[in-house]
Amino acid sequence: MKVLQGKKIILGVCGGIAAYKAADLCRLLVKEGAEVQVLMTRAAREFIAPLTFSVLSGRPCLSEMFGEEGVNPLLHIEVAQGADLLLIAPATANIIAKLAWGLADDLLTTTALAVTCPAILAPAMNVNMYNNPAVQENLDILKRRGWGIVEPEEGELACGVKGKGRLASLEKIVAYARKALFPQDLAGKVFLITAGGTREPLDPVRFISNRSSGKMGHALAQAAWERGARVLLVSAAQGIEPPWGVEYYPVETAADMAEKVLSLFPEADVVIKAAAVADFRPAEVAGEKIKKGDYKSFVLTLEPTVDILAELGKSKRHQILVGFAAETREPLNEGALKMKAKNVDLMVVNDVTLEGAGFGSDTNIVTLLRPDGRKEELPRLPKLEVAHRILNAVKELPRFKEKAEILTQKE
Ligand code: CTP
């Protein structure tokens, strides 16, 4: 989902060594379809040439209020008007202090006071500077005023010391930019999401699993976080990173997943069970590697695992349950049967035999089934877009709306 498409983003670049990374950030934002206007502080120009940003953004990079560049004394107002997002990266200790105290002595700081759009900043500096109470208190002031702060990362800093202060990864900054532009319509809700295919060990080197990649569950976690939810992601996916901002619980087996999900269930408002959970596991797990020479033929005895979704369906109170049914024949019938049997509020059904649907793919083709029999067929879409459509459907469920109304009445 290209939420940055056509959005007007002011990218403020300040004078720290990480200023060179802002060039790549600018490129990423442009690639996502944003119209980027770069504003540099004077100090930033010591680190990287404005021409770099002019070329990457396709519009003149600005930094002076007066003089040749600033023939228009209302430049800061002009830039601020119509902006969808102000993003300052890297943000130095100096700019953080100026913003916290409302100083306005250059184009970036005057513009920052004039914008009415969401604003986020990504600090980058030496670890001691970052930990200095002056900087931390200024950041607190900005947080209270609604600024989004993309925390720096730990690591080796340009000054040679190790610690927290390195500019957050560009992917993370872009993720925060996306979040800042989404309506926070799931704020205050807790989403418990499962992902990936569980692995059931046979011996120390082998396991039984399935073709689930975890991409659909991770896309759901990303989408829910982007819309303001607190996200608890219980994932058995291998080889893919969890999205930013989620509380991540990696698990391996169906039993691990069951234990984690059941323990988190009471805090959840919505549970989305996108994981492909093994229905059976080896009845015995060998302590040593099973040697082929020891057997003429090998009969594996499997025992059932707990059906997590069915358990949740039995004990649910205020929670909304969303199940998945990945099928190879009669998907809608199978999905409807599972929805009833597991007491689910919304079923996401897909025929995994279709090209562009299901396992491993970056797209999916699903039908959403509701308990009242209504069904909504979605076209082939990127998994992140499918995720947003599923969340829209959750929001429209009468049980979700009823709960939201009760909460609003209480407030
Ligand atoms: N599920 C679960 N625990 C299990 C098996 C499935 O929570 N042990 C959940 C899945 O996460 C999914 C839904 O139940 O949301 C349907 O899973 P699926 O594998 O399609 O169906 P099963 O109920 O296992 O039935 P079958 O394998 O016979 O199709």
Side-chain angles (χ1 to χ4, degrees):
M1 196 180 211
K2 283 206 155 190
V3 67
L4 301 183
Q5 183 76 47
K7 292 288 190 279
K8 293 186 172 55
I9 299 181
I10 302 170
L11 175 60
V13 182
C14 304
I17 183 61
Y20 78 93
K21 296 182 183 172
D24 244 349
L25 178 60
C26 177
R27 193 186 54 83
L28 275 179
L29 296 170
V30 170
K31 215 169 128 199
E32 291 271 325
E35 292 173 22
V36 183
Q37 173 62 64
V38 181
L39 304 187
M40 295 179 87
T41 63
R42 276 193 193 158
R45 296 168 71 144
E46 300 290 329
F47 288 90
I48 181 166
L51 182 63
T52 306
F53 291 107
S54 300
V55 173
L56 290 172
S57 67
R59 45 174 62 75
C61 165
L62 305 172
S63 53
E64 295 297 341
M65 292 203 54
F66 309 108
E68 236 172 74
E69 240 182 31
V71 279
N72 176 1
L74 295 179
L75 189 59
H76 58 298
I77 306 295
E78 211 168 85
V79 172
Q81 264 169 4
D84 295 298
L85 177 70
L86 169 63
L87 165 61
I88 303 183
T92 53
N94 185 45
I95 192 94
I96 290 167
K98 283 189 191 177
L99 295 170
W101 294 95
L103 299 184
D105 63 353
D106 64 4
L107 186 59
L108 179 55
T109 46
T110 45
T111 306
L113 284 184
V115 292
T116 52
C117 59
I120 53 185
L121 59 82
M125 65 196 76
N126 161 274
V127 57
N128 295 332
M129 289 173 78
Y130 183 68
N131 288 334
N132 190 297
V135 173
Q136 287 304 316
E137 283 169 27
N138 287 336
L139 284 171
D140 284 344
I141 291 174
L142 292 172
K143 269 186 221 161
R144 281 202 298 278
R145 284 193 205 137
W147 278 76
I149 312 290
V150 192
E151 297 230 342
E153 289 171 2
E154 304 241 355
E156 189 151 344
L157 307 176
C159 51
V161 292
K162 279 196 174 158
K164 193 170 177 177
R166 199 163 64 184
L167 184 72
S169 78
L170 303 186
E171 290 72 20
K172 185 173 176 180
I173 297 173
V174 172
Y176 274 78
R178 287 172 57 89
K179 182 177 167 68
L181 288 168
F182 262 102
Q184 299 297 287
D185 57 351
L186 301 179
K189 299 285 180 194
V190 181
F191 276 66
L192 170 55
I193 296 172
T194 69
T198 61
R199 292 177 166 201
E200 309 303 325
L202 189 56
D203 70 11
V205 295
R206 302 179 178 95
F207 56 82
I208 299 174
S209 191
N210 56 64
R211 293 182 188 277
S212 168
S213 64
K215 287 180 183 172
M216 191 63 242
H218 282 225
L220 278 158
Q222 179 180 336
W225 174 76
E226 284 177 346
R227 290 166 67 161
R230 180 177 159 218
V231 178
L232 317 175
L233 174 62
V234 180
S235 178
Q238 303 287 326
I240 58 169
E241 291 293 315
W244 302 109
V246 306
E247 290 161 52
Y248 179 54
Y249 302 97
V251 293
E252 190 169 334
T253 63
D256 296 339
M257 184 172 277
E259 192 190 335
K260 200 73 225 159
V261 168
L262 293 171
S263 75
L264 295 171
F265 188 49
E267 349 178 9
D269 295 301
V270 178
V271 183
I272 307 184
K273 285 241 61 234
V277 188
D279 292 325
F280 294 93
R281 65 176 175 210
E284 272 179 41
V285 181
E288 301 291 340
K289 185 181 176 196
I290 298 167
K291 291 295 201 181
K292 64 173 180 274
D294 297 343
Y295 300 90
K296 275 215 165 92
S297 65
F298 193 89
V299 177
L300 187 59
T301 306
L302 301 176
E303 63 183 16
T305 59
V306 58
D307 188 319
I308 308 168
L309 187 56
E311 286 302 311
L312 300 181
K314 279 185 222 153
S315 60
K316 77 176 181 191
R317 288 170 171 269
H318 62 283
Q319 291 94 343
I320 285 169
L321 296 186
V322 181
F324 271 68
E327 306 292 344
T328 55
R329 94 185 118 90
E330 296 196 58
L332 293 184
N333 286 346
E334 289 293 322
L337 289 174
K338 283 178 193 175
M339 177 160 61
K340 198 151 188 269
K342 302 193 189 195
N343 194 16
V344 164
D345 300 279
L346 182 73
M347 203 72 186
V348 183
V349 182
N350 65 343
D351 180 343
V352 288
T353 61
L354 297 178
E355 206 186 313
F359 305 131
S361 168
D362 288 325
T363 58
N364 211 350
I365 307 168
V366 306
T367 301
L368 307 181
L369 290 185
R370 293 174 175 82
D372 60 10
R374 273 186 307 137
K375 50 180 197 249
E376 185 185 348
E377 278 180 39
L378 300 183
R380 178 174 151 171
L381 293 168
K383 283 186 170 165
L384 190 56
E385 177 73 37
V386 175
H388 278 289
R389 301 285 190 101
I390 293 170
L391 297 179
N392 291 346
V394 169
K395 260 192 72 185
E396 289 310 312
L397 288 170
R399 291 192 59 230
F400 189 92
K401 284 190 185 165
E402 274 162 29
K403 207 185 157 226
E405 272 163 27
I406 294 168
L407 285 176
T408 324
Q409 279 164 14
K410 273 190 188 162
E411 278 161 11

